[in-house]
Amino acid sequence: MPTLRRPFNGPKAANSSLGMPSNRFRLPNRMVELTVDLAALQYNFRQLRQYCGQKVKILAVIKADAYGHGLLPVAQVLAPAGADYFGVAYCSEGVSLRQAGITLPILLLMGVLPEEAAEAVAHDLEVTLFCREMAAALAAQARQQSKKVKVHVKIDTGMGRLGLLPTELMPFLESLGEFPELELAGLISHFAASDCCDRSYTHQQLADFERLLKGVRGRGWAVPASHIANSAAVLHVHQAHLNMVRAGITLYGSPPSLETPSPIPLKPVMSLRTRVLQLQELPPGCSISYGRTYFTDKPSLIAALPVGYCNGYSRLMSNRGCVLLHGQRAPIRGRVCMNLTMVDVTEIPGVKKGDMATLLGEDGSDRLTGDDLAAWAETISYEIYCMMGNSNYRRYIGN
Ligand SMILES: *Cc1c(COP(=O)(O)O)cnc(C)c1O
């Protein structure tokens, strides 16, 4: 047993100590400043806590490096703020949290591969379970390490993604009797359309989940945690809270979709700023950037900004989006390049080299939100945050 555990209790990875940012980027980038406001994060969590009440557990979803906001800094704010559980996608994320000293329950939302079972058990990670191979691998490792593993059995009630079909649930649970090392800690399902105005499908999924839950409890399983609600259901489907909710995007300050605005106030957490690198005065008829997709139609003042798609600023923003300069909107001209984006500041008086430009966040009385950028890039705020947050050095404020 001790030999098995040693590899996982060995020296901590260099970047897992508390003082280091959980960035791939070890040095600040003075040209591109991505800021994460931890006070806003804490505010959003408190709003959610107030809205859900004390009886409902909150699983804070911090997969994908906390939607680009940084796994460890976010966990270190949310744990003392009162999160009950953390949810991550990969085993490695759970291990990073344990190495940083996080002791809260951690759920691996996508389960584990058989070869990850030893690590998951050694670090007391809870596992989303939906197949026999995973159950067998976890049980074998638990036996070897003289431990128990908590599992949350996943049912696909209509998401069409991950989990057992409703008809498979009972036989699967019965078959787990073979593995006394596994402890049923919860039943989990996921909504497919809780962010749509039409909630009929969501109510159907919820009814199916509750029926299955009742059946399982009726056969004598305790099922400590039952959870199906993502942010949209947390905000809009109170009956779906059950005894635990899984909140992701709302923590980071965005509504799950524009179709259903948030009933509680949320503060944006991430912002992205840069500086004017160069100003060009161009006559009419000049093309801007690769492919010559934009031509000046009058004498124009064009600012080059040292940010591009390598910073998670999508090339789909070309000729669509805008940035804030001196609190005013400057439209993007031509294609967004790998490290450069050109904006038109002809209408904004007094712009100088070195002036700050805001790509995401507020400047003066105006603000560009994750949803604004998402609309220009034909995506959702989730992807904007993941792409920007995980492509830049993150600076933390508000803590
Ligand atoms: C990502 C995820 C969530 C969080 O969804 P939000 O819409 O960000 O609240 C909840 N549950 C599961 C299983 C997820 O993968």
Side-chain angles (χ1 to χ4, degrees):
M1 270 167 282
T3 49
L4 228 185
R5 294 193 56 172
R6 196 176 302 135
F8 310 118
N9 293 335
K12 290 177 178 179
N15 66 355
S16 72
S17 66
L18 296 187
M20 288 286 288
S22 69
N23 275 325
R24 295 186 285 129
F25 306 91
R26 289 170 178 273
L27 294 174
N29 178 345
R30 290 183 193 279
M31 286 197 181
V32 184
E33 187 176 273
L34 186 122
T35 308
V36 175
D37 183 350
L38 295 173
L41 175 74
Q42 189 183 53
Y43 174 89
N44 296 336
F45 181 84
R46 288 190 175 149
Q47 291 295 322
L48 275 175
R49 171 57 80 204
Q50 208 174 359
Y51 190 69
C52 294
Q54 295 297 331
K55 288 196 193 122
V56 174
K57 287 190 173 175
I58 299 180
L59 179 150
V61 181
I62 54 174
K63 65 194 180 198
D65 230 341
Y67 294 37
H69 295 71
L71 181 71
L72 299 185
V74 166
Q76 282 157 357
V77 166
L78 295 181
D84 299 286
Y85 252 89
F86 285 127
V88 293
Y90 301 117
C91 189
S92 59
E93 298 173 306
V95 173
S96 295
L97 288 170
R98 287 285 182 252
Q99 287 180 343
I102 298 290
T103 55
L104 282 181
I106 297 169
L107 177 61
L108 303 181
L109 294 167
M110 306 203 299
V112 287
L113 296 175
E115 56 264 44
E116 295 173 311
E119 216 172 13
V121 172
H123 288 98
D124 299 310
L125 304 175
E126 301 186 17
V127 183
T128 300
L129 183 66
F130 45 84
C131 72
R132 196 184 155 74
E133 294 73 18
M134 213 193 296
L138 287 167
Q141 285 303 329
R143 209 173 310 130
Q144 283 203 41
Q145 299 182 36
S146 309
K147 283 188 162 188
K148 286 213 160 203
V149 197
K150 292 189 174 173
V151 296
H152 297 238
V153 171
K154 179 132 191 183
I155 315 160
D156 191 334
T157 53
M159 173 68 182
R161 198 169 74 170
L162 211 57
L164 298 158
L165 297 178
T167 51
E168 298 171 321
L169 177 65
M170 276 306 174
F172 183 78
L173 286 177
E174 304 283 2
S175 78
L176 293 186
E178 192 185 325
F179 305 120
E181 300 83 3
L182 303 187
E183 188 181 319
L184 185 65
L187 283 187
I188 166 171
S189 190
H190 196 57
F191 286 129
S194 53
D195 60 342
C196 304
C197 287
D198 180 353
R199 301 230 163 78
S200 48
Y201 194 72
T202 299
H203 286 293
Q204 184 58 55
Q205 279 192 270
L206 180 60
D208 288 347
F209 187 61
E210 288 189 297
R211 177 178 53 77
L212 292 163
L213 191 59
K214 203 170 156 199
V216 172
R217 287 191 170 135
R219 298 246 197 134
W221 279 289
V223 195
S226 50
H227 45 115
I228 186 168
N230 53 2
S231 287
V234 173
L235 295 180
H236 303 292
V237 192
H238 249 277
Q239 319 89 282
H241 289 191
L242 306 179
N243 64 14
M244 184 154 90
V245 298
R246 304 189 303 270
I249 195 70
T250 40
L251 292 171
Y252 310 107
S254 283
S257 89
L258 294 180
E259 228 177 283
T260 54
S262 172
I264 57 175
L266 298 169
K267 292 185 183 174
V269 178
M270 186 184 290
S271 49
L272 185 71
R273 297 193 169 83
T274 186
R275 287 168 186 287
V276 174
L277 189 63
Q278 184 197 247
L279 284 165
Q280 277 186 338
E281 276 180 60
L282 297 177
C286 289
S287 66
I288 293 174
S289 193
Y290 288 125
R292 311 190 71 200
T293 60
Y294 181 86
F295 286 82
T296 55
D297 54 2
K298 56 180 185 306
S300 300
L301 188 60
I302 302 295
L305 306 176
V307 175
Y309 56 80
C310 87
N311 305 99
Y313 198 68
S314 172
R315 193 165 172 274
L316 289 168
M317 311 261 199
S318 302
N319 289 311
R320 283 190 187 165
C322 68
V323 309
L324 299 176
L325 252 151
H326 295 195
Q328 294 184 54
R329 295 192 171 210
I332 294 174
R333 300 300 194 208
R335 293 228 171 108
V336 171
C337 309
M338 190 178 286
N339 283 92
L340 283 164
T341 298
M342 273 55 70
V343 298
D344 194 332
V345 297
T346 313
E347 308 298 329
I348 307 175
V351 174
K352 302 180 304 299
K353 229 160 106 165
D355 283 357
M356 187 185 73
T358 301
L359 297 94
L360 172 70
E362 69 176 342
D363 179 19
S365 58
D366 205 354
R367 167 183 287 288
L368 301 175
T369 66
D371 286 304
D372 291 330
L373 273 68
W376 298 325
E378 297 174 37
T379 182
I380 51 179
S381 61
Y382 298 65
E383 189 181 356
I384 297 288
Y385 295 144
C386 285
M387 298 215 301
M388 284 188 175
N390 290 328
S391 309
N392 293 291
Y393 179 89
R394 292 184 283 253
R395 189 167 77 86
Y396 290 92
I397 60 168
N399 206 26

